[in-house]
Amino acid sequence: MQDNPARHSKPTPVPPVAASALEKTLPLRINGKNYFSDDDPAMPLLWYLRDMLRLTGTKYACGIGACGACTVLVDGKAQAACMVTLKQVTGHSITTIEGLAGNADLHPLQQAWIDEDVVLCGYCQTGQIMSAAALLQHDADPSDADIDKIANLCRCGSYPRIRRAIKRAAAASKPAKKK
Ligand code: FES
Ligand code: FES
């Protein structure tokens, strides 16, 4: 993936968009907010998040869909942000690490990551958490084998800690049994 030619531009607040202009813009929904981009529709989502919105929690590492550092949620599913264009995610709901907790201070996964002291160098960890969030959305009680199917790479070898943290978050998210 080549460098983003737009990355040195200053971030600007999203301006009000006239109805006629909407036809020329890409409506995007990111972390519960609406954005209208007039950038190149072929721009990778990763560039838009990091360089235009300054949501730098989503990391750039391999740029070829191999490492998972740039993982975000698109309609609740894990997606490498370096591998999809703005046009491809138009009309879909995107969640980054900055929006994962919603209105809470921390998502249960973020709390579990702290409690299990998962982070080593940290570079891969936001992508790891987003992949874990996608896993828990369709499997509230994953086995070790399920967790090990997460393909995100960690050069620091934090996999055992990640496994413990996902199990901790899953347990914390279970509804309390009625007495
Ligand atoms: S930077 Fe996107 S998968 Fe590695
Ligand atoms: S914590 Fe260093 S790459 Fe994963």
Side-chain angles (χ1 to χ4, degrees):
M1 196 163 86
Q2 294 179 337
D3 193 15
N4 181 4
R7 71 180 305 170
H8 301 299
S9 61
K10 288 188 179 167
T12 50
V14 178
V17 179
S20 60
L22 283 175
E23 294 166 14
K24 300 176 191 166
T25 60
L26 297 167
L28 300 164
R29 187 154 180 86
I30 300 171
N31 295 337
K33 293 184 191 163
N34 293 322
Y35 297 87
F36 296 96
S37 167
D38 56 4
D39 296 293
D40 182 349
M43 177 185 282
L45 174 62
L46 180 58
W47 284 355
Y48 187 72
L49 295 174
R50 289 186 57 82
D51 298 341
M52 313 311 278
L53 299 187
R54 301 296 196 253
L55 293 173
T56 55
T58 305
K59 301 303 183 194
Y60 174 25
C62 70
I64 57 169
C67 73
C70 67
T71 303
V72 297
L73 302 182
V74 177
D75 296 337
K77 293 186 182 156
Q79 170 66 54
C82 68
M83 296 301 286
V84 285
T85 64
L86 293 184
K87 188 170 172 59
Q88 287 174 311
V89 295
T90 298
H92 297 273
S93 177
I94 298 153
T95 306
T96 71
I97 189 73
E98 290 88 349
L100 183 63
N103 293 327
D105 287 340
L106 291 173
H107 185 276
L109 280 165
Q110 292 169 311
Q111 185 61 57
W113 245 245
I114 294 169
D115 294 339
E116 292 292 344
D117 200 15
V118 175
V119 175
L120 296 169
C121 87
Y123 200 81
C124 74
Q125 295 296 336
T126 54
Q128 302 280 7
I129 290 173
M130 298 310 287
S131 288
L135 172 65
L136 291 184
Q137 284 207 13
H138 76 264
D139 184 353
D141 190 15
S143 65
D144 286 352
D146 296 328
I147 292 170
D148 291 347
K149 284 181 193 156
I150 293 177
N152 294 46
L153 301 179
C154 175
R155 63 188 291 173
C156 301
S158 62
Y159 303 112
R161 299 176 185 213
I162 288 171
R163 191 193 273 178
R164 288 198 301 271
I166 292 174
K167 292 198 159 194
R168 182 186 277 261
S173 302
K174 274 185 192 157
K177 283 185 185 165
K178 287 182 184 167
K179 292 181 182 172

